[in-house]
Amino acid sequence: MRVYFVILVSFIAQISSSLAQNRELGKVTKAELEEKFYPNDSSAVAAILINKGKVSFDISGALEMITEVEVKIKIYKKEGYIWANEQIPFFTGNSEIETVNFSNALTYNLVNNEIQITKAKAENQFTEERNQSFKIKKLTMPNVKEGSIIEYKYKITTPYITSIRDWAFQKRIPVKFSQFITDIPEYLFYNVHTKGTLLFTETKDKISKFISSNENKSNSTYRYNSMVNPYNHKVDQLSYLDNRTVYSLENIPAIKEELFVNNIENYSSAIVHEIAGIKFKDNSFKAISNSWEEIVKSINESENFGQQINKLNYFEEELNPLLVAASTANEKVGVIFSFVQSRMKWNEYYGYYCKDGVKKAYQNKVGNYAEVNLMLVAMLRYANLEANPVLISTKSNGIAIFPSRKAFNIVVASVVIDGKLLFLDATSKDSSVGILPTDDLNWFGRLVKNDGSSDLVDIIAKDASLDVVNYVVTVDSEGKVSGNVREQYLDYEAMKFREDYSDQTNDFLIQRIEKKYKGIEVSDYNLINDKKTDEMIVEKYSITENNSVETIGNKLYFSPMMHFELSENPFKQEFREYPIDFTFPFKEKYNISIKIPEGYKIESLPENVAIVMDNNYGGFTYSIIDENEKIQFKLVLDIATTIIPPKDYEMLKEFFKVVIEKQKEKIILKKI
């Protein structure tokens, strides 16, 4: 019996050792390299086998936070090569900068049944400037093929301890094992928030630490960091405790992209830290409030934010003549917004703090996000309008869920007109008053008042933007279709068009239409108001086509929508995990007048339909009328809300199914 027990213990030890080895870098096996697909997700183009992070603090001298990360990735398909590149942003905006260093970057391949190792060289690493405050350290792994395994480490050292970098357990590819360790000295306290739905294990421990005099980095008089030795007493050794927390999660599914999602990273399971306070060695405690009010007040008191709005005597001489002709509040807002939008060029640097200041930016006619929009706020206030800055996290930056100084990444302007709050962003040449760039439309912002207090404001678009198609068409006896189209875009639909096509030629725009609607030919194209942001855009063109009408015997069959027919339901998934975000409410209207060919009469028309979704989400109307030689057809697809929760996905999916099926119904003309 004892022999069996020893064998069992030995067997368990071997398994434990094997598991431990599989969670360490440098332990790549032939079996791993031979693996053709990820066992838990055969569709995965790559999988992260190990993702381990550790945060610790060096308090022996100038306080520093150190983040160390180890990564091991298996590449299954060519589409997974993108995962052989890593990029780490780091802060360089002040005199104290962060540093990022890669190490142990290796690519493993199986060649002639032998493991071949390729080490990354100096040319595989490089640094790029992202904006005035951040750079990006990039690593490109060498000799990557289908079947490769890559490993690397990186280390981030920073003097900024207010927030620990977020740790995302869930990625866009599966993760086999993810672990995050925080070793936080007893003097530091952080609020911890979690995102996502996955449950991870969490263990806590206390680790004894000490600093001896020969480790002191401050100076020869043993001056330890003021946090732990506020009176700079001479000491030979300092003991303290690290509060260790280990977060672990295994077999993590990939977070899957879905259509109409704000930013998929918002729903990834992750841990977020933000500093709450510091305890000094004399037991005094400094609380660092993380309420939105305190954060916004701190931002507003900065010389590079609130004080910039109060600066005058740099724009008045040029602005005053323009304001003379503006008698109403609406006119004043329009004049000021157009002035800033046309004069200033955004230098593509984000941020809510000014870099060079509004005066210098105005003089140079170029500035960052803050300089352009804080200048706009100043001018609106100068014109005696109720204007304030609004802090926003863009969609690409993620939703600002928890109070944090890094929650926001831009500032826009707001103004109250006739009791209605309007938002403005003059960094975009395509936006207009009350119409923000779509990346700004990220649920909520914080409106900053003159006294530093703030209000949570809803920046979700409320009013439907219009796309109206008027099509006068003739069908001949051979089934050939010809006609004239007039399409109008208003509000966000107009801005979206400008963002995509404002700099394109007519030839390009014609090709765009012909590519979108197969089998048509476009001529006599004319684009109106594409440069006037306060006007609707109009496209006018002529069409000929041969694909919309089917001839069977002595009958003609065609959809009244012609080539505009929406043929595919955008919602195909059986289940929906995330809210549906349409970016803005919209209304598509089609007014189509169809002249039938001589010698034909109408045999049948589709029935009229009107559908309304629950919760005022929108509706669909389909109306068709026989006017002897003409058929008058109207279709309206109305999505009246921006965001629909996943619990109503099935209803939305069924709604679009009805819309698609209805558009496929045919008009039948019979030869007389």
Side-chain angles (χ1 to χ4, degrees):
M1 186 72 175
R2 182 177 177 183
V3 172
Y4 289 117
F5 177 75
V6 170
I7 293 173
L8 179 62
V9 170
S10 176
F11 179 66
I12 292 173
Q14 289 176 11
I15 293 176
S16 300
S17 175
S18 175
L19 288 173
Q21 289 178 358
N22 287 338
R23 292 176 180 174
E24 300 294 333
L25 300 191
K27 305 293 183 181
V28 174
T29 66
K30 287 184 179 180
E32 288 177 313
L33 289 167
E34 289 171 343
E35 192 174 73
K36 300 299 182 185
F37 60 88
Y38 187 64
N40 295 342
D41 183 357
S42 60
S43 67
V45 298
I48 299 173
L49 306 181
I50 299 172
N51 194 31
K52 294 164 61 177
K54 181 181 179 182
V55 170
S56 59
F57 294 80
D58 183 351
I59 67 173
S60 62
L63 180 60
E64 290 182 327
M65 178 168 61
I66 300 164
T67 303
E68 298 169 283
V69 178
E70 299 180 2
V71 182
K72 178 180 180 181
I73 300 175
K74 168 75 176 184
I75 308 295
Y76 293 103
K77 303 175 184 178
K78 288 181 180 179
E79 295 83 355
Y81 287 0
I82 188 173
W83 290 93
N85 303 303
E86 181 64 276
Q87 52 183 31
I88 310 296
F90 61 102
F91 184 67
T92 59
N94 294 331
S95 56
E96 294 182 293
I97 65 171
E98 296 181 326
T99 60
V100 178
N101 292 297
F102 287 103
S103 63
N104 296 83
L106 305 172
T107 300
Y108 298 81
N109 289 298
L110 196 60
V111 180
N112 298 324
N113 205 35
E114 296 292 330
I115 296 177
Q116 179 190 77
I117 303 175
T118 307
K119 185 176 181 180
K121 298 180 180 178
E123 56 263 31
N124 294 109
Q125 297 185 39
F126 51 97
T127 302
E128 287 184 0
E129 184 172 320
R130 182 175 183 179
N131 56 41
Q132 291 166 305
S133 300
F134 283 89
K135 291 184 179 180
I136 301 176
K137 189 69 173 284
K138 293 188 174 184
L139 170 68
T140 301
M141 296 299 293
N143 198 26
V144 175
K145 307 172 184 178
E146 291 181 77
S148 296
I149 289 177
I150 62 170
E151 294 183 341
Y152 56 87
K153 298 180 181 180
Y154 63 86
K155 180 179 179 180
I156 306 168
T157 304
T158 177
Y160 306 105
I161 65 165
T162 54
S163 59
I164 296 171
R165 292 191 180 219
D166 298 352
W167 183 261
F169 289 103
Q170 201 169 18
K171 306 283 188 178
R172 294 174 189 249
I173 56 175
V175 180
K176 189 173 184 180
F177 177 70
S178 180
Q179 183 182 79
F180 186 53
I181 300 173
T182 58
D183 281 352
I184 300 175
E186 60 182 292
Y187 311 104
L188 296 175
F189 296 85
Y190 287 83
N191 292 324
V192 182
H193 307 284
T194 60
K195 296 195 307 178
T197 58
L198 300 180
L199 300 177
F200 46 82
T201 62
E202 180 179 345
T203 60
K204 294 181 179 292
D205 198 2
K206 293 188 181 295
I207 310 297
S208 296
K209 293 288 187 74
F210 69 91
I211 305 168
S212 62
S213 59
N214 60 7
E215 291 178 300
N216 172 32
K217 300 175 182 178
S218 298
N219 54 46
S220 58
T221 59
Y222 314 134
R223 289 190 175 183
Y224 293 94
N225 185 284
S226 62
M227 179 182 69
V228 298
N229 187 13
Y231 304 113
N232 295 323
H233 292 161
K234 285 189 177 183
V235 290
D236 293 325
Q237 182 171 298
L238 175 69
S239 298
Y240 66 98
L241 292 174
D242 264 353
N243 292 307
R244 171 170 289 183
T245 307
V246 180
Y247 308 93
S248 300
L249 191 59
E250 299 181 58
N251 299 320
I252 308 163
I255 186 165
K256 299 291 187 181
E257 281 283 7
E258 295 181 355
L259 288 175
F260 304 106
V261 172
N262 175 298
N263 178 345
I264 197 68
E265 303 297 341
N266 291 325
Y267 309 103
S268 170
S269 291
I271 297 175
V272 180
H273 290 75
E274 188 77 13
I275 197 164
I278 299 174
K279 184 180 75 173
F280 294 90
K281 192 64 177 177
D282 61 356
N283 287 323
S284 63
F285 183 80
K286 179 183 179 182
I288 300 175
S289 175
N290 284 320
S291 71
W292 286 119
E293 283 297 327
E294 288 295 325
I295 290 170
V296 172
K297 184 179 178 183
S298 173
I299 292 171
N300 187 59
E301 289 174 351
S302 168
E303 179 183 351
N304 294 316
F305 189 90
Q307 293 182 36
Q308 297 293 319
I309 302 172
N310 297 323
K311 291 181 183 295
L312 298 173
N313 302 320
Y314 65 95
F315 58 75
E316 292 90 330
E317 185 176 345
E318 292 179 278
L319 184 61
N320 284 337
L322 301 176
L323 290 175
V324 169
S327 56
T328 68
N330 273 314
E331 289 174 348
K332 289 179 181 178
V333 172
V335 164
I336 294 170
F337 182 75
S338 295
F339 175 64
V340 176
Q341 188 182 43
S342 60
R343 178 188 177 89
M344 298 302 299
K345 179 182 178 182
W346 175 44
N347 59 16
E348 299 190 8
Y349 289 160
Y350 289 84
Y352 50 78
Y353 284 136
C354 294
K355 176 69 173 178
D356 299 320
V358 290
K359 285 190 175 183
K360 187 173 182 180
Y362 182 86
Q363 180 183 354
N364 295 334
K365 298 184 179 181
V366 62
N368 67 9
Y369 233 103
E371 285 155 351
V372 173
N373 284 325
L374 293 182
M375 178 191 305
L376 175 59
V377 172
M379 292 184 187
L380 292 168
R381 287 183 178 176
Y382 175 76
N384 296 317
L385 296 165
E386 185 182 340
N388 291 295
V390 179
L391 294 164
I392 286 178
S393 174
T394 60
K395 286 188 175 184
S396 52
N397 191 57
I399 296 172
I401 301 174
F402 313 113
S404 168
R405 286 158 181 79
K406 63 181 180 180
F408 310 111
N409 67 323
I410 65 167
V411 59
V412 300
S414 72
V415 65
V416 177
I417 302 293
D418 297 330
K420 184 177 180 180
L421 183 65
L422 301 176
F423 302 106
L424 309 92
D425 186 345
T427 65
S428 168
K429 301 299 184 184
D430 301 313
S431 67
S432 55
V433 175
I435 304 295
L436 292 174
T438 53
D439 196 36
D440 293 2
L441 299 177
N442 199 24
W443 294 18
F444 300 103
R446 303 293 304 193
L447 185 148
V448 187
K449 299 177 184 177
N450 226 349
D451 61 1
S453 63
S454 68
D455 290 331
L456 182 69
V457 290
D458 182 352
I459 56 174
I460 297 173
K462 300 295 190 302
D463 299 326
S465 295
L466 295 178
D467 182 352
V468 181
V469 175
N470 293 290
Y471 186 24
V472 179
V473 58
T474 298
V475 178
D476 70 14
S477 58
E478 303 298 321
K480 184 178 179 181
V481 173
S482 59
N484 297 307
V485 175
R486 176 186 171 90
E487 187 163 4
Q488 300 162 277
Y489 306 90
L490 190 64
D491 294 338
Y492 279 105
E493 292 287 3
M495 189 187 67
K496 185 179 171 184
F497 186 98
R498 290 188 181 96
E499 287 178 339
D500 293 339
Y501 306 118
S502 62
D503 296 326
Q504 300 296 341
T505 64
N506 278 8
D507 286 342
F508 179 92
L509 295 171
I510 289 171
Q511 291 174 17
R512 152 188 153 263
I513 298 169
E514 292 178 340
K515 185 177 180 180
K516 182 178 181 181
Y517 306 113
K518 303 295 184 182
I520 70 169
E521 292 185 10
V522 174
S523 60
D524 302 323
Y525 182 87
N526 189 20
L527 182 62
I528 303 168
N529 293 333
D530 58 313
K531 303 299 183 184
K532 297 179 180 179
T533 58
D534 57 343
E535 300 282 349
M536 72 169 62
I537 289 178
V538 180
E539 280 188 298
K540 297 171 68 176
Y541 52 90
S542 298
I543 283 180
T544 58
E545 59 171 309
N546 295 303
N547 294 340
S548 291
V549 180
E550 185 179 12
T551 303
I552 302 177
N554 64 345
K555 296 181 181 180
L556 303 178
Y557 299 79
F558 57 91
S559 162
M561 284 287 285
M562 296 293 184
H563 63 276
F564 290 110
E565 177 187 322
L566 181 63
S567 59
E568 190 174 14
N569 192 337
F571 302 103
K572 300 176 183 177
Q573 295 168 276
E574 187 175 356
F575 304 104
R576 177 81 181 200
E577 292 187 55
Y578 317 118
I580 300 94
D581 188 337
F582 288 107
T583 304
F584 52 84
F586 62 89
K587 186 176 291 186
E588 296 179 359
K589 292 184 176 182
Y590 295 86
N591 301 309
I592 301 178
S593 177
I594 305 167
K595 183 179 179 181
I596 66 176
E598 290 185 10
Y600 281 80
K601 68 176 183 179
I602 299 170
E603 179 174 283
S604 68
L605 297 175
E607 292 184 1
N608 294 339
V609 165
I611 303 171
V612 177
M613 282 191 285
D614 294 342
N615 305 315
N616 297 316
Y617 289 156
F620 171 66
T621 58
Y622 182 107
S623 172
I624 191 163
I625 301 172
D626 175 5
E627 291 187 349
N628 296 322
E629 295 180 355
K630 287 185 179 180
I631 298 169
Q632 300 294 344
F633 171 70
K634 293 185 178 182
L635 181 147
V636 178
L637 174 60
D638 180 16
I639 299 298
T641 187
T642 298
I643 298 170
I644 295 178
K647 68 181 180 64
D648 292 324
Y649 171 70
E650 192 60 36
M651 177 183 66
L652 183 68
K653 180 180 177 181
E654 186 61 28
F655 171 79
F656 270 89
K657 179 182 177 182
V658 172
V659 171
I660 298 299
E661 290 176 349
K662 191 63 185 175
Q663 290 186 49
K664 291 181 179 180
E665 292 183 6
K666 305 295 185 182
I667 295 171
I668 303 176
L669 304 182
K670 184 177 181 180
K671 194 170 186 179
I672 301 172

